[in-house]
Amino acid sequence: MSTIAFIGLGIMGSPMAVHLQNAGHDVVGYNLHPDKTKPLVDAGGSAAASIAEAVRDAEVVAVMVPDSPDVQDVLLGEDGVFANAKEGTLVIDFSSIRPDVTVQLAKAAGDKGFRLLDAPVSGGEAGAKNAALSIMVGGADADFAEAKPILDAVGKTVVHVGGNGAGQTVKAANQLIVAANIQALAEAVVFLEAYGVDLGPALDVLGGGLAGSKVLDQKRTNMTTKSFEPGFRIDLHHKDMGIVTSAAREAGVVVPLGGLVAQLMASARANGDGGLDHSGLLRGVERLSGRLSG
């Protein structure tokens, strides 16, 4: 069992930290909003008043924050991990950030005597709560082997996909696929409703055929009830689509559907839906179809 500092206890990070504590690790949590540490403390973990305090005695540091600049601040800041953790500490970055930034951070980690794995996750809030996340890991073989028991405590599908940056690249591809699926499902729902079809049975039969997907299974209730309490916010998926389109351009490949969905995600955000669950793309289809109410 390890002493783990967990930085970032939001929708995803909080249940992940609790699972690690329940698995027998000694977890010290830090979050910008201290009240977010309560579930971890209730599970037997402890709360730190700063990143420096959280990481000082940690063997492993886990990071789950929103974007590339946030990870850079956590790792490189004066109060950050590299300035305060013990040399040799393994850092597992569960955040979804730019692959090129991850490569730069991995080099900085190595230069300062640390080891870094990029380990972005997929599965949303439900996956985090059920310890059923899919985790795509980039980094050295030995570091992955050391981290595997920790990753297994929060994930169901844990795969080493290559060196540093590979995990983030695979996550970008994941977000492309998820966004396209959500958009297609949203369009199908509006189409079915326009014809007065009984939506529940229609989605049942679609889910049993080739049109079936985890997106349909997990997001159908949001769309049928028009309830978009965030499991994964449009704001964050907007960020991820920016990563996809930028990285594709750098690689010299085209993602025409990805580019379109990125614009639809940006439109949803511009219309005030950024804080909604990404299933809220349904509202964009309704808006374009003149069917949005409320």
Side-chain angles (χ1 to χ4, degrees):
M1 297 295 105
S2 302
T3 300
I4 301 172
F6 206 110
I7 313 301
L9 300 172
I11 288 175
M12 302 290 289
S14 179
M16 292 170 70
V18 169
H19 285 308
L20 290 170
Q21 181 67 34
N22 290 339
H25 299 285
D26 182 14
V27 182
V28 182
Y30 171 76
N31 197 77
L32 281 173
H33 302 286
D35 59 303
K36 298 291 187 181
T37 62
K38 187 178 186 303
L40 173 61
V41 172
D42 289 347
S46 56
S50 67
I51 295 173
E53 180 186 337
V55 306
R56 194 165 289 129
D57 298 317
E59 298 164 276
V60 176
V61 175
V63 180
M64 178 56 109
V65 294
D67 203 351
S68 302
D70 303 302
V71 177
Q72 290 171 314
D73 287 346
V74 166
L75 298 186
L76 302 176
E78 188 175 319
D79 183 53
V81 175
F82 294 165
N84 294 281
K86 296 181 295 187
E87 187 173 341
T89 298
L90 176 62
V91 180
I92 305 173
D93 181 21
F94 290 114
S95 316
S96 296
I97 67 172
R98 287 166 40 192
D100 61 321
V101 171
T102 285
V103 172
Q104 293 165 9
L105 289 172
K107 183 180 185 306
D111 291 344
K112 294 178 180 293
F114 297 98
R115 298 163 296 143
L116 178 69
L117 292 173
D118 48 298
V121 305
S122 179
E125 183 181 14
K129 286 183 173 180
N130 296 322
L133 294 166
S134 178
I135 309 177
M136 43 227 84
V137 188
D141 291 342
D143 295 337
F144 173 73
E146 181 179 333
K148 186 67 161 53
I150 292 171
L151 301 173
D152 285 341
V154 297
K156 183 177 181 181
T157 304
V158 179
V159 181
H160 187 207
V161 294
N164 286 117
Q168 298 295 353
T169 303
V170 175
K171 178 59 188 291
N174 178 88
Q175 296 304 82
L176 167 61
I177 294 169
V178 170
N181 271 269
I182 291 174
Q183 179 64 26
L185 176 59
E187 293 180 15
V189 166
V190 173
F191 173 73
L192 291 166
E193 288 180 332
Y195 276 90
V197 173
D198 192 341
L199 196 54
L203 293 177
D204 287 342
V205 71
L206 291 174
L210 193 57
S213 69
K214 289 186 177 180
V215 164
L216 195 159
D217 293 342
Q218 293 184 21
K219 300 300 179 181
R220 59 178 290 172
T221 300
N222 299 60
M223 294 193 185
T224 55
T225 63
K226 307 295 193 290
S227 174
F228 305 112
E229 186 70 21
F232 188 79
R233 290 182 285 118
I234 283 172
D235 277 339
L236 291 176
H237 214 140
H238 168 75
K239 176 263 298 182
D240 290 343
M241 294 309 296
I243 291 173
V244 171
T245 53
S246 176
R249 181 170 182 168
E250 289 173 11
V253 298
V254 297
V255 285
L257 182 55
L260 175 58
V261 177
Q263 291 298 307
L264 293 167
M265 200 77 70
S267 173
R269 190 167 179 263
N271 279 281
D273 291 345
L276 302 182
D277 185 77
H278 50 180
S279 56
L281 283 179
L282 175 72
R283 287 170 52 84
V285 182
E286 291 177 328
R287 191 177 288 116
L288 289 170
S289 301
R291 291 174 171 268
L292 182 62
S293 58

